[in-house]
Amino acid sequence: MTEPFTDLPPGVPAVPAPDRGAGLPGGPDFGRFVDNLRHLLDVVTDACPPAEVMTQVADEFAQISARLAPFAVAESERATGLRLDLAGRGQTMAPVVLWDVRARDRATCRVTFGRHYVTVNGAVHGGAIPLVFDEVLAVLANASGAFARSVYLNVNYRALTRVGVPLRVEATVDRVEGRKLFLTGRLFDGDTLCAEAESLFVQLRTGQH
């Protein structure tokens, strides 16, 4: 289930659960909508149904797409990725990050890769790990309130990363040079270092996008 308020920026008050999402894009049930989609992606990964079931479900997927398509909105009006009151900001591209510490110069959080991200032998697809690092490091780079964009993100893989187990991410701002922020991140499975990243973010000037 979606953990409430995990992505609220510092200083933003939590909304009481019964009213959470009221008046926001997608409404109060958008969190459940996204949770069910995440679960579906995991189920689809492991499912190999008989041909007749596959055909039926493929048709149902097409029907759902057709039902939602008329409600497409401009990027600024969408709910996906912009619902800061929801874990993972209401997006399904990267696994949900649950924050433990969010300061201006460091952050720690937890993440669990679902079956949707598996390759073989229970290992997370290598391309999914940078998604988590980019998510975490971007939040840290923007902690000062000045919007920053990534310039590069280099990831080194140190050990196999397992799906379905709680992992820990640690991130730090190593140095700041004017508008440039140099950050590093580390992904742990217990005491095992699975991957580490280094990145550069640049704070945008007024009027830049």
Side-chain angles (χ1 to χ4, degrees):
M1 295 298 294
T2 297
E3 179 175 323
F5 318 132
T6 51
D7 269 2
L8 283 175
V12 175
V15 180
D19 299 323
R20 186 160 55 92
L24 296 177
D29 231 10
F30 184 73
R32 191 167 67 91
F33 175 88
V34 174
D35 280 341
N36 287 340
L37 178 54
R38 292 189 186 111
H39 179 65
L40 174 63
L41 292 173
D42 287 341
V43 171
V44 166
T45 297
D46 288 332
C48 189
E52 63 273 15
V53 175
M54 186 72 77
T55 299
Q56 179 183 1
V57 174
D59 290 341
E60 291 171 353
F61 285 171
Q63 292 166 9
I64 291 172
S65 295
R67 185 176 180 183
L68 293 175
F71 302 99
V73 297
E75 180 178 335
S76 59
E77 300 174 15
R78 62 186 169 90
T80 301
L82 299 179
R83 282 288 298 269
L84 300 181
D85 60 316
L86 299 175
R89 298 179 292 109
Q91 57 84 35
T92 57
M93 180 175 64
V96 171
V97 169
L98 302 176
W99 298 95
D100 294 315
V101 175
R102 292 178 61 175
R104 288 182 179 272
D105 60 349
R106 65 187 182 93
T108 60
C109 57
R110 291 159 285 136
V111 64
T112 301
F113 288 90
R115 295 289 299 172
H116 175 57
Y117 298 98
V118 73
T119 50
V120 294
N121 297 325
V124 173
H125 191 294
I129 293 172
L131 288 173
V132 170
F133 277 129
D134 192 56
E135 185 83 6
V136 174
L137 295 175
V139 168
L140 186 56
N142 286 279
S144 66
F147 187 72
R149 287 195 179 276
S150 55
V151 176
Y152 64 72
L153 174 65
N154 297 327
V155 177
N156 293 314
Y157 301 94
R158 302 303 185 187
L160 180 147
T161 301
R162 300 183 293 165
V163 300
V165 298
L167 307 171
R168 183 178 80 259
V169 182
E170 299 176 355
T172 54
V173 178
D174 291 345
R175 69 182 191 276
V176 178
E177 298 177 2
R179 295 187 295 118
K180 296 180 179 180
L181 296 91
F182 296 85
L183 301 92
T184 53
R186 294 152 295 281
L187 175 68
F188 292 93
D189 181 347
D191 293 328
T192 300
L193 176 64
C194 298
E196 54 188 351
E198 58 176 6
S199 66
L200 167 62
F201 282 75
V202 174
Q203 294 177 337
L204 300 186
R205 295 188 176 93
T206 302
Q208 285 185 312
H209 301 285

